[in-house]
Amino acid sequence: MKNIDGNKTPENDNKNHVIQEREMPSIISQQRDIILKKTLIVSNELLDEKSSNIDFIKITDLILEISGSKYASFNVFDADGRDFTTVAFSGLSKNIKKISSILGFELVGKEWKYDPVRESKIKDNTINRFKTLHDLSKSALPDRISSLVERVFNIGPVYVVRIQKNNKAIGDFTLLFSQNSELQNIDIVELFSSQVGLLIDRRISDMNLVASESRLSSFIKNSPIAIEQYDAHGKLIDVNPACLSLFGIKSKKEIEHFSLYNDPNISDDHKKELRQAKPIRYEAIFDFDKVRDSKLYNSSKSGKIWLDVMITPTTGNNGVLEGYLLEIQDISSRKVSSTKINENVKELENLNSIMVGRELKMIELKKEIEALKAHT
């Protein structure tokens, strides 16, 4: 149909508008499903990643997409949960360079000192909204700088999404939005931040474990005490140089096949206790001839030595046996000294017994002489 002036009636346009309005919720729902699916896939990929390195850029790009923000920064806190470092910044790359130029420093790698004002504003909630960038950063950035960034890059509200573990901050996302824009997909943002929290916490634990293992390895290697490490099945894992020296072994390769449970110098009772994950300590004679006769390994030593052996079972957090740690010291000199001391003590006791007996006989003889004198 046409109007009197020959123009088309708006009926068709109205119908199209109504159809579009009806389709909008469906489109939004589909987009949300796509984002949720992508979030879950990326989260699983990050958590399954074996490397100790975290892909900060991938994480920040995704939070930018999920939230609908214009720019997104990813901050990771120090161990004390106070100071933090910006590890990634996502958005239009040419504008990021301009922002860095205005600020006077590179955003990625920037270390931020603890800001009690900022902390007081965000400590109580996971998601925190600020009307402007100035409201969030006025204690960290000069007013003219934050105002300039807002004006030049059309920055509106700012959201800070806290990432924490046991009520201690381990990271956050700082999301900058355009004017008249707000945070989208709040529940997915919270889900993803929680997954990122698990990732950071696990990486911290992994790094602490690596550092701990490195310290232990260094201690074992440089220890003057002979140390052996075995797995839960009694198979030898490693020995330190002091151990090789003690047993006269040239190389670890010669004892790669060695089993704790096949050692003829450990009694069956002690082996039984070890299988029950009980720590044991004992002193015993170690016979190199037994080692040679059993063909356990080649040794440059022969004869017998006294050893002080302490075997400690190692278990995981779940209490399951993981292996054994042996600490071995040659106490032959001490045993020899102890034997000599015992022999000397025995000699003294015998001498003392002789001397006492002699003294008693002298007393008796003296009494007899006195008695004879009395009768004369």
Side-chain angles (χ1 to χ4, degrees):
M1 293 179 63
K2 293 184 179 180
N3 292 330
I4 296 174
D5 59 7
N7 294 324
K8 290 182 179 180
T9 61
E11 291 180 7
N12 289 334
D13 290 341
N14 289 338
K15 287 179 180 179
N16 290 335
H17 184 67
V18 171
I19 292 171
Q20 289 175 357
E21 286 185 342
R22 290 174 178 172
E23 291 176 345
M24 280 302 292
S26 176
I27 294 172
I28 293 173
S29 178
Q30 290 175 8
Q31 291 175 340
R32 174 186 165 79
D33 289 344
I34 292 171
I35 289 175
L36 177 59
K37 184 176 180 180
K38 183 175 181 179
T39 300
L40 294 174
I41 291 172
V42 172
S43 295
N44 288 332
E45 289 175 350
L46 291 168
L47 291 170
D48 289 341
E49 178 62 49
K50 300 301 182 183
S51 171
S52 59
N53 296 321
I54 299 176
D55 193 338
F56 298 122
I57 295 175
K58 187 176 186 178
I59 290 170
T60 313
D61 286 346
L62 183 55
I63 197 66
L64 186 82
E65 181 180 349
I66 297 170
S67 65
S69 57
K70 190 172 185 178
Y71 301 100
S73 72
F74 184 11
N75 305 309
V76 174
F77 282 74
D78 293 343
D80 60 5
R82 294 168 66 86
D83 300 346
F84 63 87
T85 302
T86 299
V87 295
F89 196 94
S90 294
L92 195 60
S93 58
K94 65 177 183 179
N95 285 352
I96 293 175
K97 292 180 180 179
K98 291 179 182 178
I99 293 174
S100 294
S101 178
I102 292 173
L103 294 175
F105 54 79
E106 290 293 329
L107 284 165
V108 178
K110 170 65 177 175
E111 297 179 354
W112 304 84
K113 294 298 181 183
Y114 175 68
D115 183 351
V117 177
R118 181 182 189 273
E119 177 62 19
S120 66
K121 292 177 179 179
I122 65 174
K123 66 178 183 178
D124 295 327
N125 300 297
T126 301
I127 297 180
N128 304 270
R129 183 187 185 277
F130 297 87
K131 187 176 180 181
T132 64
L133 176 63
H134 174 69
D135 290 340
L136 170 65
S137 62
K138 58 185 175 183
S139 59
L141 296 175
D143 293 351
R144 61 182 183 81
I145 296 295
S146 56
S147 297
L148 182 59
V149 171
E150 289 172 359
R151 187 172 64 256
V152 172
F153 301 100
N154 190 35
I155 302 300
V158 176
Y159 285 79
V160 176
V161 183
R162 282 172 62 86
I163 304 169
Q164 55 187 16
K165 176 74 173 180
N166 297 328
N167 295 321
K168 186 177 77 173
I170 58 176
D172 73 44
F173 295 119
T174 300
L175 309 174
L176 285 65
F177 290 80
S178 300
Q179 293 284 351
N180 303 318
S181 296
E182 295 291 342
L183 180 63
Q184 300 174 19
N185 303 309
I186 294 176
D187 54 344
I188 302 179
V189 167
E190 289 183 328
L191 171 66
F192 185 58
S193 64
S194 176
Q195 295 292 85
V196 171
L198 290 174
L199 174 66
I200 295 174
D201 183 59
R202 194 175 77 180
R203 289 295 183 269
I204 292 172
S205 297
D206 289 346
M207 287 187 290
N208 289 340
L209 179 61
V210 169
S212 177
E213 289 176 344
S214 177
R215 288 192 296 270
L216 177 61
S217 177
S218 177
F219 168 77
I220 290 174
K221 181 179 179 181
N222 298 302
S223 174
I225 298 174
I227 296 177
E228 302 173 359
Q229 292 175 279
Y230 294 84
D231 65 17
H233 303 291
K235 183 180 178 181
L236 183 67
I237 297 174
D238 199 9
V239 297
N240 68 347
C243 183
L244 295 177
S245 175
L246 175 62
F247 293 105
I249 302 169
K250 291 182 179 180
S251 169
K252 286 190 290 187
K253 289 183 179 180
E254 294 191 28
I255 51 174
E256 285 178 339
H257 63 285
F258 190 70
S259 171
L260 184 66
Y261 296 127
N262 292 335
D263 188 344
N265 289 287
I266 299 178
S267 70
D268 291 339
D269 288 340
H270 281 150
K271 289 175 183 177
K272 183 178 179 181
E273 289 181 282
L274 291 175
R275 287 190 172 92
Q276 295 170 352
K278 294 180 179 180
I280 61 172
R281 183 169 187 172
Y282 61 90
E283 294 180 358
I285 294 175
F286 185 90
D287 191 342
F288 284 101
D289 295 332
K290 279 187 179 181
V291 172
R292 185 186 64 252
D293 294 342
S294 301
K295 297 181 180 180
L296 290 178
Y297 52 82
N298 294 322
S299 174
S300 61
K301 295 190 175 183
S302 60
K304 298 175 181 180
I305 57 175
W306 272 96
L307 296 180
D308 179 359
V309 182
M310 182 167 66
I311 307 179
T312 306
T314 57
T315 57
N317 294 330
N318 55 4
V320 176
L321 179 66
E322 292 184 346
Y324 303 94
L325 185 71
L326 275 71
E327 299 172 72
I328 310 164
Q329 297 186 72
D330 184 351
I331 56 171
S332 299
S333 297
R334 192 183 82 194
K335 281 292 184 180
V336 169
S337 298
S338 177
T339 300
K340 286 184 178 180
I341 290 172
N342 289 334
E343 288 175 353
N344 290 337
V345 168
K346 192 171 182 179
E347 274 187 36
L348 287 172
E349 287 175 347
N350 291 336
L351 181 60
N352 183 61
S353 179
I354 292 171
M355 294 295 291
V356 169
R358 195 172 173 187
E359 186 69 22
L360 291 172
K361 286 181 179 180
M362 290 296 293
I363 292 172
E364 289 295 325
L365 181 59
K366 191 174 182 180
K367 285 180 179 180
E368 289 178 5
I369 292 171
E370 291 295 330
L372 288 171
K373 284 181 178 181
H375 287 90
T376 57

